[in-house]
Amino acid sequence: MLTTLTTAYTDTRASDLAWALGREPLPALAVLDLQLHGVQLQLRLLGASHQVLLEEERGTCSETVACMPGSSTPLPLGVAKRLGDWEYEFAAHVETLSRGSFAGRAQELLALVAEHPHGLAGTFPGSPHAFTAMLAQCQQGQVRWRTWHAYPQEGRLVATRTRVGVRAAVAAV
């Protein structure tokens, strides 16, 4: 699903993105509710990036990647945590592209996500290549999502990957 977000595009920077687990739901500009193999997943586009809410019989998980004033947790390159019965893994990568490469990559990603049944993308008014996009899937008992945050004024694209899966039981020796 592709939507135009009804908010002004502000000149935020890729380096302003922060990461947080466990935040309460923040006001969203667009939402996609998904049911993936018994897991309720909500993809949320915020004015300042994204939030994913996962709910399942074992509990909940909330991931926020956004420009959050006062946040003391910058965007990490990687995180691995245990959340109750789950293993949570997060990775981020910042790519700097030329203007022409950036435009092509933006169009490619928006087309991919817009046509996917588990995809949500929002473009910001004022710049055709300013967007946040999210894509989710469930595979082998794991829920995964990818996100892309575009900063055309800098030529930077921030990509994240998250995996949440049930911890495997350790066999007794």
Side-chain angles (χ1 to χ4, degrees):
M1 177 171 83
L2 179 61
T3 185
T4 299
L5 301 172
T6 54
T7 187
Y9 178 68
T10 57
D11 277 343
T12 57
R13 297 178 317 224
S15 61
D16 289 339
L17 283 177
W19 167 86
L21 275 178
R23 287 188 83 120
E24 293 296 318
L26 297 171
L29 300 172
V31 173
L32 179 62
D33 289 306
L34 299 170
Q35 184 76 18
L36 302 173
H37 301 282
V39 175
Q40 293 178 6
L41 196 66
Q42 187 176 75
L43 306 180
R44 304 167 57 84
L45 296 178
L46 312 176
S49 289
H50 88 259
Q51 187 173 50
V52 177
L53 306 177
L54 181 148
E55 187 174 329
E56 195 244 9
E57 65 185 31
R58 291 177 188 87
T60 62
C61 175
S62 166
E63 173 190 279
T64 306
V65 172
C67 300
M68 297 177 275
S71 176
S72 60
T73 307
L75 190 65
L77 294 178
V79 173
K81 285 186 171 265
R82 287 187 174 170
L83 300 173
D85 289 340
W86 295 330
E87 289 183 357
Y88 169 92
E89 291 179 6
F90 172 87
H93 174 73
V94 180
E95 201 175 344
T96 303
L97 302 163
S98 69
R99 187 174 297 267
S101 294
F102 191 93
R105 183 80 170 124
Q107 290 173 344
E108 174 185 282
L109 287 169
L110 286 171
L112 169 75
V113 174
E115 299 300 320
H116 198 284
H118 302 146
L120 175 63
T123 58
F124 293 90
S127 177
H129 303 121
F131 68 90
T132 299
M134 308 171 74
L135 190 59
Q137 65 180 2
C138 189
Q139 197 174 30
Q140 299 171 343
Q142 298 178 344
V143 179
R144 299 169 186 253
W145 58 87
R146 296 193 64 190
T147 72
W148 298 271
H149 307 266
Y151 298 93
Q153 72 280 7
E154 295 183 318
R156 291 192 175 183
L157 183 65
V158 179
T160 73
R161 275 190 340 255
T162 302
R163 181 190 67 80
V164 178
V166 176
R167 242 184 352 205
V170 177
V173 179

